[in-house]
Amino acid sequence: MELTTVWFALIAVLWVGYFTLEGFDFGVGMLLPVLARDDTERRVLYNTIGPVWDGNEVWLLVAGGATFAAFPNWYATLFSGFYLPLLLILLALIVRNLAFEYRHKRDSDAWRRGWDTALIVGSFVPALLWGVAFANLVAGVPIDRHQNYTGSLFTLLNPFGLLGGVVTLLLFVTHGAMFTALKTDGDIRHRARALAVRTGVVAAVAAVAFLAWTQLRTGTAGSAVVFVVAALALLAALAAAAAGREGWAFTGTFVTIGLAVVGLFLALFPDVMPSSISVAYSLTTSNASATPYTLTVMTWVAVIFTPLVLLYQAWSYWVFRRRIAVHHIPAAA
């Protein structure tokens, strides 16, 4: 197997890690005004993702860095063409992350409400725009023979792209509700589980429509199989949630999101950024890649350090595995 194919697969794995882990982060943030009835319950939700959110975002940093090093032409065209959506995502992530650090710094209801709003908006914007970006990436965008993006922001806001954004938004909300039901106890746990079933039904309808549309446009036999299994995993997750099996329910949404990302990358391969102007102008794993020497060095680095990162993150989740309830939250200082 060529190293370009290996690194395309590794980048796909990094995005799987980011969306499956950061996805429930976004979901919990968006559900803050829905699930929490008072400040103590809001603090419960903050504490469910407080120990892990920053580690989850590392997957995004590594995915961006790996794309820059392994496929520099892909990185250049993607970040110049999708500049405004990616800038909005970056700003939303910055504001969102500040909410974790600054919400408790002042004893003021207005102060806390402001940072709660930052968390909600900072979770909503990336959840929507990542779906829009990936849908357009798979469907193809106007790229000329010089590998330059020739469209605008409104080019990306097409029906297929917007449906992709709605799907990621709904899946992350459902994923976040499943995680909340898994990590909390008491009334908030039961409300989260019930909400996960309701939002999951809507997410399932939207996801099936989007994945079927993707398959008809650019799909392969491999992506078709993966999409079907992803849909079945989501249905199994909803059944598990309805039965009160929160661990299996969360596993189901985790698998659903992961397989959906895998299917999108299978539908994309061997392109990394197809051109809607001409197939000849598309960026592929061959014409967008770095030199073989660069890919060889990167491969050895990945072989050495990736297991260490996975072990550390697994250990952190194990340490913070216990459920959180209202009675665990101390009185505000």
Side-chain angles (χ1 to χ4, degrees):
M1 182 183 295
E2 296 183 358
L3 285 180
T4 54
T5 304
V6 170
W7 273 97
F8 180 85
L10 288 175
I11 289 172
V13 170
L14 292 171
W15 281 107
V16 168
Y18 177 66
F19 282 129
T20 53
L21 297 175
E22 188 82 326
F24 69 74
D25 274 2
F26 290 148
V28 173
M30 288 185 285
L31 290 173
L32 189 67
V34 179
L35 291 177
R37 294 178 175 175
D38 54 35
D39 187 66
T40 303
E41 289 191 345
R42 284 191 286 272
R43 291 171 65 190
V44 168
L45 291 180
Y46 270 94
N47 279 276
T48 60
I49 57 176
V52 297
W53 68 266
D54 49 354
N56 294 343
E57 289 195 351
V58 171
W59 291 85
L60 173 61
L61 300 177
V62 178
T67 304
F68 172 77
F71 300 100
N73 292 347
W74 180 17
Y75 182 93
T77 304
L78 176 64
F79 277 76
S80 60
F82 290 37
Y83 179 81
L84 185 55
L86 294 177
L87 177 62
L88 292 174
I89 290 173
L90 177 61
L91 292 175
L93 291 177
I94 291 173
V95 171
R96 175 180 179 271
N97 296 347
L98 288 174
F100 291 101
E101 303 296 334
Y102 284 91
R103 184 184 190 272
H104 65 283
K105 296 294 186 182
R106 183 181 298 175
D107 185 16
S108 166
D109 290 338
W111 174 268
R112 287 188 285 267
R113 283 196 302 270
W115 287 115
D116 289 344
T117 302
L119 179 68
I120 297 165
V121 175
S123 301
F124 176 87
V125 172
L128 177 68
L129 292 184
W130 278 129
V132 173
F134 265 82
N136 280 282
L137 186 66
V138 173
V141 291
I143 300 173
D144 64 17
R145 62 189 181 91
H146 301 294
Q147 298 185 344
N148 293 323
Y149 176 78
T150 59
S152 64
L153 173 63
F154 296 103
T155 305
L156 305 177
L157 301 180
N158 54 75
F160 184 73
L162 292 174
L163 178 59
V166 170
V167 169
T168 53
L169 181 71
L170 292 172
L171 285 177
F172 290 166
V173 167
T174 304
H175 197 35
M178 297 289 193
F179 180 77
T180 303
L182 179 65
K183 281 290 293 178
T184 60
D185 209 352
D187 290 341
I188 194 170
R189 170 187 178 184
H190 300 296
R191 293 199 300 270
R193 191 172 63 212
L195 180 64
V197 175
R198 294 196 297 272
T199 60
V201 171
V202 181
V205 174
V208 168
F210 174 72
L211 295 179
W213 195 353
T214 303
Q215 184 64 29
L216 291 174
R217 293 187 64 159
T218 62
T220 63
S223 66
V225 173
V226 172
F227 287 155
V228 170
V229 177
L232 294 176
L234 182 55
L235 294 177
L238 298 180
R245 304 293 297 275
E246 288 126 350
W248 286 110
F250 177 73
T251 302
T253 53
F254 189 100
V255 171
T256 297
I257 295 172
L259 289 179
V261 177
V262 170
L264 291 177
F265 273 88
L266 287 175
L268 184 62
F269 186 80
D271 293 334
V272 294
M273 201 166 180
S275 171
S276 58
I277 297 176
S278 172
V279 176
Y281 301 157
S282 296
L283 278 71
T284 67
T285 54
S286 299
N287 65 20
S289 68
T291 63
Y293 178 77
T294 300
L295 295 178
T296 301
V297 172
M298 289 176 59
T299 302
W300 281 109
V301 172
V303 167
I304 295 171
F305 288 102
T306 300
L308 298 177
V309 173
L310 292 176
L311 285 173
Y312 172 77
Q313 190 156 29
W315 173 79
S316 66
Y317 274 91
W318 175 256
V319 170
F320 296 102
R321 67 189 182 278
R322 298 188 183 278
R323 291 182 181 271
I324 302 171
V326 170
H327 64 269
H328 293 131
I329 304 299

Coordinates of all heavy atoms in Angstrom, one line a residue, residues 226-259:
V226 N -20.9 0.7 4.7 CA -20.6 1.4 5.9 C -21.8 2.2 6.3 O -22.2 2.3 7.5 CB -19.3 2.2 5.8 CG1 -19.1 3.2 7.0 CG2 -18.1 1.3 5.6
F227 N -22.4 2.9 5.4 CA -23.6 3.7 5.7 C -24.7 2.9 6.2 O -25.4 3.4 7.2 CB -24.0 4.5 4.4 CG -23.1 5.6 4.0 CD1 -23.1 6.0 2.7 CD2 -22.3 6.2 4.9 CE1 -22.2 7.1 2.3 CE2 -21.5 7.3 4.5 CZ -21.4 7.7 3.2
V228 N -25.0 1.7 5.7 CA -26.0 0.9 6.2 C -25.8 0.5 7.6 O -26.7 0.5 8.5 CB -26.2 -0.3 5.3 CG1 -27.2 -1.4 5.9 CG2 -26.7 0.1 3.9
V229 N -24.5 0.1 7.9 CA -24.2 -0.3 9.3 C -24.3 0.8 10.2 O -24.8 0.7 11.4 CB -22.8 -0.9 9.3 CG1 -22.4 -1.3 10.7 CG2 -22.7 -2.2 8.4
A230 N -23.9 2.0 9.8 CA -24.1 3.2 10.6 C -25.5 3.5 11.0 O -25.9 3.8 12.1 CB -23.5 4.5 9.9
A231 N -26.4 3.3 10.0 CA -27.8 3.6 10.2 C -28.4 2.5 11.2 O -29.2 2.8 12.1 CB -28.6 3.5 8.9
L232 N -27.9 1.3 11.1 CA -28.4 0.2 12.0 C -27.9 0.5 13.4 O -28.6 0.2 14.4 CB -27.9 -1.2 11.5 CG -28.5 -1.7 10.2 CD1 -27.9 -3.0 9.7 CD2 -30.0 -1.8 10.3
A233 N -26.6 1.0 13.5 CA -26.1 1.3 14.8 C -26.9 2.4 15.5 O -27.1 2.3 16.7 CB -24.6 1.7 14.7
L234 N -27.3 3.4 14.8 CA -28.1 4.4 15.4 C -29.5 3.9 15.9 O -30.0 4.2 16.9 CB -28.4 5.5 14.4 CG -29.2 6.8 14.9 CD1 -28.5 7.3 16.1 CD2 -29.3 7.8 13.8
L235 N -30.1 3.0 15.1 CA -31.4 2.4 15.5 C -31.2 1.6 16.8 O -32.0 1.6 17.7 CB -32.0 1.5 14.4 CG -32.4 2.3 13.1 CD1 -32.9 1.3 12.1 CD2 -33.5 3.3 13.4
A236 N -30.1 0.8 16.8 CA -29.7 0.0 18.0 C -29.5 0.9 19.2 O -29.9 0.6 20.3 CB -28.5 -0.8 17.7
A237 N -28.9 2.1 19.0 CA -28.6 3.0 20.1 C -30.0 3.5 20.7 O -30.1 3.7 21.9 CB -27.8 4.2 19.6
L238 N -30.9 3.9 19.8 CA -32.2 4.3 20.2 C -33.0 3.3 21.0 O -33.6 3.6 22.0 CB -33.0 4.8 19.0 CG -32.4 6.0 18.2 CD1 -33.4 6.3 17.1 CD2 -32.2 7.2 19.1
A239 N -32.9 2.0 20.5 CA -33.5 0.9 21.2 C -32.9 0.7 22.6 O -33.6 0.5 23.6 CB -33.4 -0.4 20.4
A240 N -31.6 0.8 22.7 CA -30.9 0.7 24.0 C -31.2 1.8 24.9 O -31.5 1.5 26.1 CB -29.4 0.6 23.7
A241 N -31.3 3.0 24.4 CA -31.7 4.1 25.3 C -33.1 4.0 25.8 O -33.4 4.2 27.0 CB -31.6 5.4 24.5
A242 N -34.0 3.5 25.0 CA -35.4 3.3 25.4 C -35.5 2.2 26.4 O -36.4 2.3 27.3 CB -36.3 3.0 24.2
A243 N -34.6 1.3 26.4 CA -34.6 0.2 27.4 C -33.8 0.5 28.6 O -33.6 -0.3 29.5 CB -34.0 -1.1 26.7
G244 N -33.2 1.7 28.7 CA -32.4 2.1 29.8 C -31.0 1.6 29.9 O -30.3 1.7 30.9
R245 N -30.5 1.2 28.7 CA -29.1 0.7 28.6 C -28.2 1.8 28.1 O -27.9 1.8 26.9 CB -29.1 -0.6 27.7 CG -30.0 -1.7 28.1 CD -29.6 -2.3 29.4 NE -28.3 -2.9 29.3 CZ -28.1 -4.2 28.9 NH1 -29.1 -4.9 28.5 NH2 -26.8 -4.7 28.8
E246 N -27.8 2.7 29.0 CA -27.1 3.9 28.6 C -25.8 3.6 28.0 O -25.3 4.3 27.1 CB -27.0 4.9 29.7 CG -28.3 5.5 30.1 CD -28.6 5.3 31.6 OE1 -27.9 4.5 32.3 OE2 -29.6 5.9 32.1
G247 N -25.0 2.7 28.5 CA -23.7 2.3 28.0 C -23.8 1.9 26.5 O -23.0 2.4 25.7
W248 N -24.7 1.0 26.3 CA -24.9 0.5 24.9 C -25.4 1.6 24.0 O -25.1 1.7 22.8 CB -25.8 -0.7 24.9 CG -25.2 -2.0 25.3 CD1 -25.4 -2.6 26.5 CD2 -24.1 -2.7 24.7 NE1 -24.6 -3.7 26.7 CE2 -23.8 -3.8 25.6 CE3 -23.4 -2.5 23.5 CZ2 -22.8 -4.7 25.2 CZ3 -22.4 -3.4 23.2 CH2 -22.1 -4.5 24.0
A249 N -26.3 2.5 24.5 CA -26.8 3.5 23.7 C -25.7 4.5 23.3 O -25.7 4.9 22.1 CB -27.9 4.3 24.5
F250 N -24.9 4.9 24.2 CA -23.7 5.8 23.9 C -22.8 5.1 22.9 O -22.3 5.7 22.0 CB -23.0 6.2 25.2 CG -21.8 7.0 24.9 CD1 -21.9 8.4 24.5 CD2 -20.5 6.5 25.0 CE1 -20.8 9.2 24.2 CE2 -19.4 7.3 24.7 CZ -19.6 8.6 24.4
T251 N -22.5 3.8 23.1 CA -21.7 3.1 22.1 C -22.3 3.1 20.7 O -21.6 3.2 19.7 CB -21.5 1.6 22.6 OG1 -20.9 1.6 23.9 CG2 -20.6 0.8 21.6
G252 N -23.6 3.0 20.7 CA -24.3 3.0 19.4 C -24.1 4.3 18.7 O -23.8 4.4 17.4
T253 N -24.3 5.5 19.3 CA -24.1 6.7 18.7 C -22.7 7.0 18.4 O -22.3 7.6 17.3 CB -24.7 7.9 19.6 OG1 -24.1 7.8 20.9 CG2 -26.2 7.8 19.7
F254 N -21.8 6.5 19.2 CA -20.3 6.6 18.9 C -20.0 5.9 17.6 O -19.3 6.4 16.8 CB -19.6 6.0 20.1 CG -18.1 6.2 20.1 CD1 -17.5 7.2 20.9 CD2 -17.3 5.4 19.3 CE1 -16.1 7.4 20.9 CE2 -15.9 5.6 19.3 CZ -15.3 6.6 20.1
V255 N -20.5 4.6 17.5 CA -20.3 3.9 16.3 C -20.9 4.5 15.1 O -20.3 4.5 14.0 CB -20.7 2.4 16.5 CG1 -20.7 1.6 15.2 CG2 -19.9 1.7 17.5
T256 N -22.1 5.0 15.2 CA -22.8 5.7 14.1 C -22.0 6.8 13.6 O -21.8 6.9 12.3 CB -24.2 6.2 14.6 OG1 -25.0 5.1 15.0 CG2 -24.9 7.0 13.5
I257 N -21.5 7.7 14.4 CA -20.8 8.9 14.0 C -19.5 8.4 13.3 O -19.1 8.9 12.3 CB -20.6 9.9 15.1 CG1 -21.9 10.4 15.6 CG2 -19.6 11.0 14.7 CD1 -21.8 11.3 16.8
G258 N -18.8 7.5 14.0 CA -17.5 7.0 13.4 C -17.7 6.4 12.1 O -16.9 6.7 11.2
L259 N -18.7 5.5 11.9 CA -18.9 4.9 10.6 C -19.3 5.9 9.5 O -19.0 5.8 8.4 CB -19.9 3.8 10.7 CG -19.4 2.5 11.5 CD1 -20.5 1.5 11.6 CD2 -18.2 1.9 10.8

